[in-house]
Amino acid sequence: MPKPILVHICSKCDAQFPRWSGRCESCGNWGTVSKDPTDVSGDTRESLTSDVGRQEAGGRKLKVEAFADLKSAEYATAKPTGLAPLDAVLGGGLAHGSATLIAGEPGMGKSTLLSQVALAMAAQGKKVLYVAGEESPKQIGLRLARLASVVPPTLAYLDDTCAENIAATLADNKPDLTIVDSIQTAVSNQASGEAGSVSQVKTCAAILTQAAKRSGVPVILVGQVTKDGDIAGPRLMEHVVDTVLSLEGDRTHRFRILRAIKHRFGSSDEVALLDMTERGLEVLENPSGALLADRSDAPGSAIGCVLEGRRPLLAELQALVTAAGYSAPVRKATGFDTARLNMLLAVLTRHAGIGVYDKDVFANAAGGLAVRDPAADLALAAAIASAVSKKPLDPKTALFGEIGLTGELRPVPLTDLRVKEIARLGFSTIILPAASKQPQIKDVELKTCRTVRDAIERAMR
Ligand SMILES: Nc1ncnc2c1ncn2[C@@H]1O[C@H](COP(=O)(O)OP(=O)(O)OP(=O)(O)O)[C@@H](O)[C@H]1O
Ligand SMILES: [Mg+2]
């Protein structure tokens, strides 16, 4: 009989090794590797998969049922939570028995947003259960008191982190909403490792999602992510839960974006643009205005237009270009993809005659915005050109368009929405790709260009 292979497992990151070691080779933690108690030894594993007939023999025959017999119509519509931006992103509200994950970096405002949801639902007389894992009930109580003048009596807390206990309480108490803050603090008897480890997070998310489905109580889970992608981060749970929301922003700014990354019950196009205030997260009525409030008219600044969901947002793109000295030139971007910045610099050198090979280049999207829309390419290219020539751009000009590798300016979706937003904020000139559909807008001159060289020449005029 072959010797069984004993698996050793790291309690921090769940990496598996054939032999013990003092330090986990995967996550680098010391003293976390031990024998996996749940391991099925090699020969047993083989016998489990080799004899399919025997597996069938061990199973029970179950009754199958018709979907038509399910009385699901009453659960078909999502119920509003009463917190407008969340309801908008969820396409109406929370679905019956749904599991929603809110992911975000520490300090982003996840607990604040969920306290606001809890208060909004409790204010309608609904029962809300807040499971305190990360903060003590007293700390949560203080936040609730800051956010609302009265904390309704239907808003209750549970001071426990055991997933099985939470699931049992949920089935018994039947609240209208359960919030678990956070999944990284939950523990299950059925998983190995400490709270926050891969197996604990996965098992607890599965237990709580099943509890939501069985009881019909919507459950919201908080998931922590770190800037460099936490190993026990929400990616692990994405396929388990019904909806994944992400609360994004820059901790040094007040601006936040709530977006749906995955949504089983509706579209994931809608985003909420929020402002972190002492009364909690509030809807920004004029996000473009807020983002441009402190704009600079110095060389190296250009105004672009990016889409968040289907919402056009004006963003200030900034560039700083300085002599690199003797070392290799530095290229750094904040709120913009560094690889894309490098690509833009190469295109500018090759196709627009703007050589920066011996210069350090720093790029920034002002206001803490994380720009992903390629339509911001042209504004950043113009900001770099302006920084190189030390000549400011016309403050009443905005630009948008994607830049291709051959120096061509490519059209971007929803040109008409972008043009309207730029016009609304009082700009008089827009530089955009020639192939775009051109809406007619009063008092705004549209300058269409085919190449990045042409666009930059017109912007610098
Ligand atoms: N009195 C206040 N006025 C304005 N903003 C505040 C106030 N108190 C807290 N904040 C903001 O709330 C943020 C923390 O929010 P919250 O605790 O909801 O974040 P979180 O995402 O739950 O963080 P964690 O991951 O640490 O649990 C702070 O970074 C701060 O910006
Ligand atoms: Mg929190």
Side-chain angles (χ1 to χ4, degrees), residues 288-337:
S288 295
L291 280 169
L292 297 191
D294 304 317
R295 67 172 284 198
S296 152
D297 48 13
S301 160
I303 305 301
C305 185
V306 294
L307 284 188
E308 278 298 344
R310 287 180 61 85
R311 303 266 297 272
L313 264 187
L314 262 55
E316 183 190 350
L317 279 304
Q318 299 179 332
L320 174 68
V321 180
T322 55
Y326 297 109
S327 52
V330 179
R331 274 82 211 268
K332 280 222 158 70
T334 313
F336 196 89
D337 183 24

Coordinates of all heavy atoms in Angstrom, one line a residue, residues 288-337:
S288 N -19.0 66.5 -10.6 CA -18.0 67.1 -11.5 C -17.6 68.4 -10.9 O -16.4 68.7 -10.8 CB -18.6 67.3 -12.9 OG -18.9 66.1 -13.5
G289 N -18.5 69.2 -10.4 CA -18.2 70.5 -9.8 C -17.3 70.3 -8.6 O -16.4 71.0 -8.4
A290 N -17.6 69.3 -7.8 CA -16.8 69.0 -6.6 C -15.4 68.6 -6.9 O -14.5 69.0 -6.3 CB -17.5 67.9 -5.7
L291 N -15.3 67.8 -8.0 CA -14.0 67.3 -8.4 C -13.1 68.4 -9.0 O -11.9 68.4 -8.9 CB -14.1 66.2 -9.4 CG -14.4 64.8 -8.8 CD1 -14.7 63.8 -9.9 CD2 -13.2 64.3 -8.0
L292 N -13.8 69.4 -9.6 CA -13.1 70.5 -10.2 C -12.9 71.7 -9.3 O -12.4 72.8 -9.7 CB -13.8 71.0 -11.5 CG -13.9 69.9 -12.6 CD1 -14.3 70.6 -13.9 CD2 -12.5 69.3 -12.9
A293 N -13.5 71.6 -8.0 CA -13.5 72.8 -7.1 C -12.1 73.4 -6.9 O -12.0 74.6 -6.9 CB -14.1 72.4 -5.8
D294 N -11.1 72.6 -6.8 CA -9.8 73.1 -6.5 C -8.9 73.0 -7.7 O -7.7 72.8 -7.6 CB -9.1 72.3 -5.3 CG -10.0 72.4 -4.1 OD1 -10.6 73.5 -3.8 OD2 -10.2 71.3 -3.5
R295 N -9.4 73.1 -8.9 CA -8.6 72.9 -10.1 C -7.5 73.9 -10.3 O -7.7 75.1 -9.8 CB -9.5 72.8 -11.3 CG -10.1 74.1 -11.7 CD -10.8 74.0 -13.1 NE -9.8 74.0 -14.1 CZ -10.1 74.3 -15.4 NH1 -11.4 74.5 -15.7 NH2 -9.2 74.4 -16.3
S296 N -6.5 73.5 -10.9 CA -5.3 74.4 -11.1 C -5.3 74.9 -12.5 O -5.7 74.2 -13.5 CB -4.1 73.6 -10.8 OG -3.0 74.1 -11.5
D297 N -4.9 76.1 -12.8 CA -4.7 76.6 -14.1 C -3.3 76.7 -14.5 O -2.9 77.4 -15.5 CB -5.6 77.8 -14.4 CG -5.3 78.9 -13.4 OD1 -4.3 78.7 -12.6 OD2 -6.1 79.9 -13.3
A298 N -2.4 76.0 -13.7 CA -1.0 76.1 -14.0 C -0.6 75.1 -15.2 O -1.5 74.3 -15.5 CB -0.2 75.7 -12.8
P299 N 0.6 75.2 -15.7 CA 0.9 74.2 -16.8 C 0.9 72.8 -16.2 O 1.2 72.6 -15.0 CB 2.4 74.6 -17.1 CG 2.5 76.0 -16.7 CD 1.6 76.2 -15.6
G300 N 0.5 71.8 -17.0 CA 0.5 70.4 -16.5 C -0.9 70.0 -16.0 O -1.0 69.0 -15.4
S301 N -1.9 70.8 -16.3 CA -3.3 70.4 -15.8 C -4.2 70.4 -17.0 O -4.2 71.4 -17.9 CB -3.8 71.4 -14.8 OG -5.2 71.4 -14.7
A302 N -5.0 69.4 -17.2 CA -6.0 69.4 -18.3 C -7.3 68.7 -17.7 O -7.3 67.9 -16.8 CB -5.5 68.6 -19.4
I303 N -8.5 69.2 -18.3 CA -9.7 68.6 -17.9 C -10.2 67.6 -18.9 O -10.4 67.9 -20.1 CB -10.8 69.8 -17.7 CG1 -10.3 70.9 -16.8 CG2 -12.1 69.2 -17.2 CD1 -9.9 70.5 -15.4
G304 N -10.5 66.4 -18.3 CA -11.0 65.3 -19.2 C -12.4 64.9 -18.7 O -12.9 65.5 -17.7
C305 N -13.0 64.0 -19.4 CA -14.3 63.5 -19.0 C -14.3 62.0 -19.0 O -14.0 61.3 -20.0 CB -15.4 64.0 -19.9 SG -17.1 63.6 -19.4
V306 N -14.6 61.4 -17.8 CA -14.6 59.9 -17.7 C -16.0 59.4 -17.3 O -16.8 60.2 -16.7 CB -13.6 59.4 -16.7 CG1 -12.2 59.7 -17.1 CG2 -13.9 60.0 -15.3
L307 N -16.3 58.2 -17.7 CA -17.6 57.6 -17.3 C -17.4 56.8 -16.1 O -16.5 56.0 -16.0 CB -18.1 56.7 -18.4 CG -18.8 57.3 -19.7 CD1 -19.4 56.2 -20.5 CD2 -19.8 58.4 -19.3
E308 N -18.4 56.9 -15.1 CA -18.5 56.0 -14.0 C -19.8 55.3 -14.1 O -20.8 56.0 -13.9 CB -18.3 56.7 -12.7 CG -16.9 57.0 -12.3 CD -16.1 55.8 -12.0 OE1 -16.7 54.7 -11.9 OE2 -14.9 55.9 -12.0
G309 N -19.9 54.1 -14.5 CA -21.2 53.5 -14.9 C -21.6 54.2 -16.1 O -20.9 54.2 -17.1
R310 N -22.8 54.8 -16.1 CA -23.3 55.6 -17.2 C -23.2 57.1 -16.9 O -23.8 57.9 -17.6 CB -24.7 55.2 -17.6 CG -24.8 53.9 -18.3 CD -26.2 53.6 -18.6 NE -26.8 54.5 -19.5 CZ -26.7 54.5 -20.8 NH1 -26.0 53.6 -21.4 NH2 -27.3 55.4 -21.6
R311 N -22.5 57.4 -15.8 CA -22.5 58.8 -15.4 C -21.2 59.5 -15.8 O -20.1 59.1 -15.5 CB -22.5 58.9 -13.8 CG -23.7 58.2 -13.2 CD -24.8 59.2 -13.0 NE -24.5 60.3 -12.0 CZ -24.6 60.1 -10.7 NH1 -25.1 59.0 -10.2 NH2 -24.3 61.1 -9.9
P312 N -21.3 60.6 -16.6 CA -20.1 61.3 -17.0 C -19.6 62.2 -15.9 O -20.3 62.8 -15.1 CB -20.6 62.2 -18.2 CG -22.0 62.4 -18.0 CD -22.5 61.2 -17.1
L313 N -18.3 62.2 -15.7 CA -17.6 62.9 -14.6 C -16.5 63.7 -15.1 O -15.7 63.2 -15.9 CB -17.0 61.9 -13.6 CG -17.8 61.5 -12.4 CD1 -16.8 60.7 -11.5 CD2 -18.3 62.7 -11.6
L314 N -16.4 65.0 -14.8 CA -15.2 65.8 -15.2 C -14.1 65.6 -14.2 O -14.3 65.5 -13.0 CB -15.6 67.3 -15.3 CG -16.0 67.7 -16.7 CD1 -17.1 66.8 -17.3 CD2 -16.3 69.1 -16.8
A315 N -12.9 65.3 -14.8 CA -11.8 65.0 -13.9 C -10.6 65.9 -14.3 O -10.4 66.1 -15.5 CB -11.4 63.6 -14.0
E316 N -9.8 66.3 -13.3 CA -8.6 67.1 -13.6 C -7.5 66.1 -13.7 O -7.2 65.4 -12.7 CB -8.4 68.2 -12.6 CG -7.2 69.0 -12.9 CD -6.7 69.9 -11.8 OE1 -7.4 70.1 -10.8 OE2 -5.6 70.5 -12.0
L317 N -6.8 66.0 -14.8 CA -5.6 65.2 -14.9 C -4.4 66.1 -14.8 O -4.3 67.1 -15.5 CB -5.6 64.5 -16.3 CG -6.4 63.2 -16.5 CD1 -6.0 62.1 -15.4 CD2 -7.9 63.4 -16.4
Q318 N -3.4 65.7 -14.0 CA -2.2 66.5 -13.8 C -1.0 65.8 -14.2 O -0.9 64.6 -14.0 CB -2.1 66.9 -12.3 CG -3.3 67.7 -11.9 CD -3.2 68.1 -10.4 OE1 -2.6 67.4 -9.6 NE2 -3.8 69.2 -10.0
A319 N 0.0 66.5 -14.7 CA 1.3 65.9 -15.0 C 2.4 66.8 -14.5 O 2.3 68.0 -14.5 CB 1.4 65.6 -16.5
L320 N 3.5 66.2 -14.0 CA 4.7 66.9 -13.6 C 5.8 66.2 -14.3 O 6.0 65.0 -14.3 CB 4.9 66.8 -12.1 CG 6.2 67.4 -11.5 CD1 6.2 68.9 -11.7 CD2 6.4 67.1 -10.1
V321 N 6.6 67.0 -15.1 CA 7.7 66.5 -15.9 C 9.0 67.2 -15.5 O 9.0 68.5 -15.5 CB 7.5 66.7 -17.4 CG1 8.6 66.1 -18.2 CG2 6.1 66.0 -17.8
T322 N 10.0 66.5 -15.0 CA 11.2 67.1 -14.5 C 12.4 66.3 -15.1 O 12.3 65.1 -15.4 CB 11.4 67.1 -13.0 OG1 11.2 65.8 -12.5 CG2 10.3 68.0 -12.3
A323 N 13.6 66.9 -15.1 CA 14.8 66.3 -15.6 C 15.1 65.1 -14.7 O 15.0 65.1 -13.5 CB 16.0 67.2 -15.6
A324 N 15.5 63.9 -15.4 CA 15.7 62.7 -14.6 C 17.0 62.6 -13.9 O 17.2 61.7 -13.1 CB 15.5 61.5 -15.5
G325 N 18.0 63.4 -14.2 CA 19.3 63.3 -13.6 C 20.0 62.1 -14.2 O 19.8 61.8 -15.4
Y326 N 20.9 61.4 -13.4 CA 21.7 60.3 -13.9 C 21.0 59.0 -13.8 O 21.4 58.0 -14.5 CB 23.0 60.3 -13.2 CG 23.8 61.6 -13.5 CD1 24.0 62.5 -12.4 CD2 24.3 61.8 -14.7 CE1 24.7 63.7 -12.7 CE2 25.0 63.0 -15.0 CZ 25.2 63.9 -14.0 OH 25.9 65.1 -14.2
S327 N 20.0 58.9 -13.0 CA 19.3 57.6 -12.8 C 18.3 57.3 -13.9 O 17.9 58.2 -14.7 CB 18.7 57.5 -11.4 OG 17.8 58.6 -11.3
A328 N 17.7 56.1 -13.9 CA 16.7 55.8 -14.8 C 15.5 56.6 -14.5 O 15.1 56.9 -13.4 CB 16.3 54.3 -14.7
P329 N 14.8 57.2 -15.6 CA 13.6 58.0 -15.3 C 12.5 57.4 -14.6 O 12.3 56.2 -14.7 CB 13.2 58.4 -16.7 CG 14.0 57.7 -17.7 CD 15.0 56.9 -17.0
V330 N 11.9 58.1 -13.7 CA 10.8 57.6 -12.9 C 9.4 57.9 -13.5 O 9.2 59.0 -14.0 CB 10.8 58.3 -11.5 CG1 9.7 57.8 -10.6 CG2 12.2 58.1 -10.8
R331 N 8.6 56.9 -13.6 CA 7.2 57.2 -14.1 C 6.2 56.7 -13.0 O 6.2 55.5 -12.7 CB 6.9 56.4 -15.3 CG 7.4 57.1 -16.6 CD 8.9 56.9 -16.8 NE 9.5 58.0 -17.5 CZ 9.6 58.1 -18.8 NH1 9.2 57.1 -19.6 NH2 10.2 59.2 -19.4
K332 N 5.5 57.6 -12.4 CA 4.6 57.2 -11.4 C 3.2 57.8 -11.6 O 3.1 59.0 -12.1 CB 5.1 57.7 -10.0 CG 6.2 56.9 -9.4 CD 6.0 56.8 -7.9 CE 6.7 55.5 -7.3 NZ 8.1 55.6 -7.3
A333 N 2.2 57.0 -11.4 CA 0.8 57.6 -11.6 C 0.0 57.3 -10.3 O 0.1 56.2 -9.7 CB 0.2 56.9 -12.8
T334 N -0.8 58.3 -9.9 CA -1.8 58.1 -8.8 C -3.2 58.3 -9.4 O -3.5 59.3 -10.1 CB -1.6 59.2 -7.8 OG1 -0.2 59.3 -7.5 CG2 -2.3 58.9 -6.5
G335 N -4.0 57.3 -9.2 CA -5.4 57.3 -9.8 C -5.4 57.0 -11.2 O -6.4 57.3 -11.9
F336 N -4.3 56.6 -11.8 CA -4.2 56.3 -13.2 C -3.3 55.1 -13.4 O -2.3 55.0 -12.6 CB -3.7 57.5 -14.0 CG -3.9 57.5 -15.4 CD1 -5.0 58.0 -16.0 CD2 -2.9 56.9 -16.3 CE1 -5.2 58.0 -17.4 CE2 -3.1 56.9 -17.7 CZ -4.3 57.5 -18.2
D337 N -3.5 54.2 -14.3 CA -2.7 53.0 -14.5 C -1.3 53.4 -15.0 O -1.2 54.0 -16.0 CB -3.5 52.1 -15.5 CG -2.7 50.8 -15.7 OD1 -2.0 50.4 -14.8 OD2 -2.9 50.2 -16.8

